[in-house]
Amino acid sequence: MRTLSKDNADGTARHLVAVGRALDAEDFDRALAHAQAAAKRAGRVAGVRETLGVVHYRRGEWSKALGEFRTARRLSGQDHLLPLIADTERGLGRPERALELGAGPEVRRLPAAEQIEMAIVVSGARLDMGQTAAAVQSLRELVLAGKSTSAWAARLRYAYAAALEADGQDDEAQRWYAIAAELDETGDTDARERLGYEEEPEVVDLLEGEETDDEQGQGGVDGRREATGEGPGASA
């Protein structure tokens, strides 16, 4: 944003911050309004167009997202958006195009995290095409070789579990969902929900049907404790 005047840069930056907060709150209408305002101020800034593309992507507006991602890539001259572009092609019902992008020479020059994101997209494209065994195979070596401490570790293992599940390997899929859930400290996946880890514990009232001392004339305050979520079975 160095090409902008100070006032314009400050105003654009405020809109971009607001976009991030709105996306965190899943307020996609507000995110779009701020992203469009930023683009109106700084439409030739790659990061601004990328942000607008991300908002459209989160809203499932695939054609608009693709247009913004392509524009941002052209303005920046960088390839880091290729995984998102490929996944947007999937959203448009063109998994074959996603596979073509995943096999491009630019992918090999991407940082490790973005190569992993592309591999996840490619596996998803294989699933879109009914190629479940290929979807599993495309991730197996990465999963077995990848470090569990990497930022993308949970997402990769979750994608691998999803491919295994689609391929009918249910027991193995459940094992990898559990591994993904253990690694996912920031809620990037719904692995815990899939495994039922987030279900509310069943509260059994051991005093139901029995009269307490209070009910026998020592006041009107119920002596039973309400469920607090503490103790065995509470969700983390």
Side-chain angles (χ1 to χ4, degrees):
M1 298 211 293
R2 295 176 180 175
T3 60
L4 305 177
S5 68
K6 184 180 185 304
D7 288 344
N8 194 16
D10 289 346
T12 301
R14 285 195 293 270
H15 282 300
L16 295 180
V17 170
V19 170
R21 290 174 177 169
L23 288 178
D24 288 343
E26 297 189 352
D27 186 345
F28 299 128
D29 289 340
R30 184 160 60 93
L32 180 60
H34 281 290
Q36 289 174 332
K40 187 175 181 179
R41 281 176 168 267
R44 299 296 298 172
V45 175
V48 171
R49 301 301 289 271
E50 177 179 339
T51 298
L52 180 54
V54 168
V55 173
H56 285 306
Y57 177 87
R58 292 284 299 275
R59 290 168 62 93
E61 297 167 349
W62 309 119
S63 293
K64 292 178 180 179
L66 182 59
E68 295 300 330
F69 289 150
R70 285 174 171 171
T71 298
R73 186 186 180 199
R74 184 175 66 252
L75 290 171
S76 69
Q78 299 178 4
D79 295 320
H80 65 282
L81 288 173
L82 279 173
L84 279 173
I85 290 173
D87 205 34
T88 302
E89 293 284 5
R90 287 183 60 207
L92 288 167
R94 301 194 292 246
E96 299 89 349
R97 179 59 181 151
L99 294 181
E100 290 175 9
L101 289 168
E106 303 91 346
V107 175
R108 292 191 292 273
R109 299 192 291 268
L110 292 174
E114 288 157 11
Q115 289 192 33
I116 292 296
E117 290 299 327
M118 182 62 90
I120 292 172
V121 172
V122 166
S123 179
R126 293 290 185 191
L127 293 180
D128 294 342
M129 300 169 68
Q131 300 173 3
T132 58
V136 171
Q137 187 61 37
S138 68
L139 295 180
R140 178 171 289 142
E141 290 185 8
L142 291 173
V143 167
L144 296 178
K147 296 180 179 179
S148 61
T149 55
S150 301
W152 37 260
R155 283 177 43 74
L156 176 60
R157 284 153 179 79
Y158 180 92
Y160 185 55
L164 288 165
E165 185 176 38
D167 197 45
Q169 302 182 49
D170 293 338
D171 291 342
E172 191 70 356
Q174 291 299 301
R175 185 169 79 87
W176 283 99
Y177 277 133
I179 293 172
E182 182 177 355
L183 296 174
D184 189 3
E185 298 179 352
T186 57
D188 288 339
T189 74
D190 65 351
R192 294 182 64 84
E193 290 85 344
R194 278 181 173 269
L195 295 168
Y197 290 177
E198 298 298 332
E199 293 181 357
E200 291 293 330
E202 182 180 356
V203 178
V204 178
D205 188 349
L206 299 178
L207 299 179
E208 184 176 2
E210 297 183 7
E211 289 186 343
T212 66
D213 290 341
D214 289 336
E215 290 172 334
Q216 294 175 10
Q218 296 187 15
V221 178
D222 191 336
R224 291 173 293 178
R225 294 181 59 193
E226 295 183 359
T228 63
E230 299 173 352
S235 58

